[in-house]
Amino acid sequence: MAEATVHRTAVEFSYFCAACKDGFRNSKRSFDTISSEDSEFTCLKCGKTFSSGFKTKKIHSRDALPYSCDDCGKKFRTSTLLQYHSYKHSLAWPLRCFICQKGFAADSQLKRHLVTETFDCSQCPKSFRANACPHWRPKFLLDKDEIKCKKCSRGSSATKYLTYTT
């Protein structure tokens, strides 16, 4: 029987810092946590070095992250992600929360920001549902206004913190 020398194939990995790994939230890619006191890793996405972060099977940067930001050099998989990122630099968000003025790149992000709650009208026995910014309560409490349904509100200042649902 002939003997053969078996060579272990080196598995290549791509390394990411915690901030850049978050950019893969919607990806099916699996990540392993890494940490080392002896060596520093270089993030494939932003180029920063770190000692604790994440690794995944090799991603060839020229294939996976072809779009880069002219302002900071951060790299992205798609031109849409680059466009969304560019709003952080320009502050020219296409959508803003009507209460806290936080900017959003997509309608779905703004909808996720707002929370739908059930309120009891302080003037009539009706309950109603409305979307509200999570940051509205301190402003509302400063106004010392009562929460009223759409019919009873008639210009109540609290209504500026709610969008009524049907």
Side-chain angles (χ1 to χ4, degrees), residues 6-149:
V6 178
H7 298 284
R8 298 175 74 190
T9 55
V11 177
E12 294 182 13
F13 293 102
S14 292
Y15 301 97
F16 295 92
C17 64
C20 292
K21 186 250 182 198
D22 285 345
F24 289 93
R25 254 181 285 176
N26 298 329
S27 169
K28 293 179 182 164
R29 184 168 291 283
S30 69
F31 289 87
D32 295 319
T33 305
I34 56 170
S35 182
S36 172
E37 291 180 19
D38 299 333
S39 62
E40 287 189 344
F41 303 98
T42 302
C43 179
L44 179 65
K45 199 167 185 181
C46 70
K48 292 180 182 173
T49 58
F50 59 91
S51 57
S52 291
F54 300 89
K55 72 176 182 178
T56 187
K57 287 186 182 173
K58 188 71 174 174
I59 296 176
H60 297 285
S61 61
R62 65 184 177 279
D63 301 331
L65 306 170
Y67 302 94
S68 66
C69 176
D70 291 337
D71 292 325
C72 67
K74 195 169 182 180
K75 297 181 180 283
F76 298 90
R77 288 188 314 267
T78 67
S79 61
T80 303
L81 291 173
L82 172 60
Q83 181 182 10
Y84 286 2
H85 168 78
S86 72
Y87 298 135
K88 291 179 182 177
H89 294 295
S90 68
L91 301 177
W93 298 100
L95 301 166
R96 290 200 177 271
C97 174
F98 58 98
I99 302 301
C100 67
Q101 296 302 309
K102 182 175 180 180
F104 299 94
D107 191 47
S108 60
Q109 294 169 329
L110 174 58
K111 286 180 182 176
R112 246 189 336 263
H113 171 72
L114 298 174
V115 291
T116 304
E117 296 183 40
T118 302
F119 298 94
D120 294 322
C121 180
S122 60
Q123 200 163 342
C124 71
K126 185 179 177 184
S127 290
F128 62 95
R129 292 184 57 74
N131 293 326
C133 171
H135 307 288
W136 77 287
R137 289 191 191 278
K139 292 178 184 178
F140 173 74
L141 293 173
L142 289 174
D143 286 349
K144 303 261 191 275
D145 206 349
E146 297 175 332
I147 299 174
K148 299 175 185 171
C149 68

